[in-house]
């Protein structure tokens, strides 16, 4: 499932309410960070192990895009995407707060092993059609997050062009497009279920070690 993944690009603060709930400024251009491919783990009903000795671990449900071809001049950005999934950007929040205060890179808080659980690939309907589809995260059968791509500060076309122009974009790249409001700290044994149009498409149980 992950053998052909090249780069993992992640977009920070791409939903206004999420930025505000963490006391962050709303960005004026896409905020991009990366995760190592070793962060990927399947979100297929199994157990995801996460660090339990570094403070709070927060869940962040996101729409994840898979790039199937390079973005060429004049090309419709939608034509680059060949798959859609729901995934989690796991975050060591206490670690992130400390390194942000020092102006250091986010890698220790965002790139640790197991920090990118990813569900099965679904057909990508195109950016406009995508706005007709809601996604949600259930935590122990209670809704924790609810989102729609229409609420993104920077739409999919903008994200693709920005990443391509500044960092490069090609087949095998993944884009975690940002999380809606509702993130919170995980507890050992939590069950997470990702819903696409009300149907579970990915799930996992959390083990803090």
């Amino acid at each position: 499932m992950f053998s052909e993944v090249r780069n993992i690009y992640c977009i920070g603060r791409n939903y206004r309410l999420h930025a505000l709930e963490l006391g962050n400024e709303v960005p004026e251009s896409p905020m991009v960070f990366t995760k190592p491919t070793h962060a990927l783990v399947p979100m297929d009903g199994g157990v995801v192990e996460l660090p339990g000795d570094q403070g709070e671990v927060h869940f962040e449900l996101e729409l994840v895009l898979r790039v199937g071809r390079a973005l060429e001049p004049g090309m419709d950005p939608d034509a680059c995407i060949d798959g859609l999934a729901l995934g989690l950007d796991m975050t060591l929040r206490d670690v992130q707060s400390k390194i942000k205060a020092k102006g250091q890179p986010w890698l220790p808080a965002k790139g640790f092993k197991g920090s990118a659980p990813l569900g099965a690939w679904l057909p990508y309907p195109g950016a406009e059609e995508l706005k007709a589809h809601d996604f949600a995260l259930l935590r122990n059968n209670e809704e924790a997050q609810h989102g729609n791509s229409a609420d993104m500060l920077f739409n999919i076309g903008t994200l693709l062009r920005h990443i391509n122009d500044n960092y490069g974009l090609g087949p095998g790249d993944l884009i975690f497009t940002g999380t809606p409001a509702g993130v919170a700290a995980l507890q050992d044994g939590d069950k997470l279920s990702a819903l696409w149009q009300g149907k579970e498409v990915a799930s996992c149980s959390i083990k803090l070690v």
Side-chain angles (χ1 to χ4, degrees), residues 114-130:
S115 64
L118 186 63
W121 292 109
L122 306 168
Y124 175 63
E128 285 304 311
E129 177 63 23
L130 190 61

Side-chain angles (χ1 to χ4, degrees), residues 83-103:
L84 167 76
L86 294 181
L88 294 166
D89 167 21
M90 298 296 195
T91 303
L92 294 174
R93 191 68 72 197
D94 292 339
V95 174
Q96 186 186 37
S97 295
K98 291 177 182 177
I99 60 181
K100 281 171 57 179
K102 296 178 181 179

Side-chain angles (χ1 to χ4, degrees), residues 63-95:
L63 292 171
V64 183
L65 307 177
R66 183 177 63 194
V67 177
R69 58 177 294 189
L71 179 60
E72 301 171 0
M75 179 179 172
D76 181 353
D78 269 353
C80 295
I81 306 302
D82 70 357
L84 167 76
L86 294 181
L88 294 166
D89 167 21
M90 298 296 195
T91 303
L92 294 174
R93 191 68 72 197
D94 292 339
V95 174

Side-chain angles (χ1 to χ4, degrees), residues 1-13:
M1 179 180 181
F2 304 139
S3 60
E4 296 182 358
V5 174
R6 295 177 63 196
N7 300 297
I8 303 174
Y9 295 111
C10 305
I11 309 301
R13 307 177 192 172

Side-chain angles (χ1 to χ4, degrees), residues 13-91:
R13 307 177 192 172
N14 200 25
Y15 289 77
R16 183 179 301 275
L17 292 180
H18 170 60
L20 296 177
E21 74 177 342
L22 295 181
N24 294 318
E25 293 182 358
V26 176
E28 296 182 358
S29 62
M31 178 183 293
V32 183
F33 62 94
T34 63
K35 288 179 182 273
T37 56
H38 297 290
L40 289 169
V41 290
M43 194 175 174
D44 58 2
V47 175
V48 173
E49 293 188 351
L50 300 169
D53 59 352
Q54 299 185 54
E56 292 187 352
V57 187
H58 283 205
F59 57 80
E60 299 188 15
L61 181 67
E62 312 206 3
L63 292 171
V64 183
L65 307 177
R66 183 177 63 194
V67 177
R69 58 177 294 189
L71 179 60
E72 301 171 0
M75 179 179 172
D76 181 353
D78 269 353
C80 295
I81 306 302
D82 70 357
L84 167 76
L86 294 181
L88 294 166
D89 167 21
M90 298 296 195
T91 303

Side-chain angles (χ1 to χ4, degrees), residues 103-166:
Q104 296 175 349
W106 286 10
L107 185 62
K110 291 284 195 176
F112 55 95
K113 289 185 288 186
S115 64
L118 186 63
W121 292 109
L122 306 168
Y124 175 63
E128 285 304 311
E129 177 63 23
L130 190 61
K131 296 175 183 178
H133 301 275
D134 290 346
F135 61 99
L137 183 73
L138 301 185
R139 178 186 184 185
N140 302 324
N141 297 316
E142 295 186 2
E143 185 172 281
Q145 291 184 272
H146 190 101
N148 187 290
S149 64
D151 297 325
M152 291 180 180
L153 292 172
F154 306 103
N155 62 32
I156 289 172
T158 298
L159 296 179
L160 291 172
R161 295 186 189 95
H162 180 84
I163 293 170
N164 185 62
D165 290 348
N166 289 279

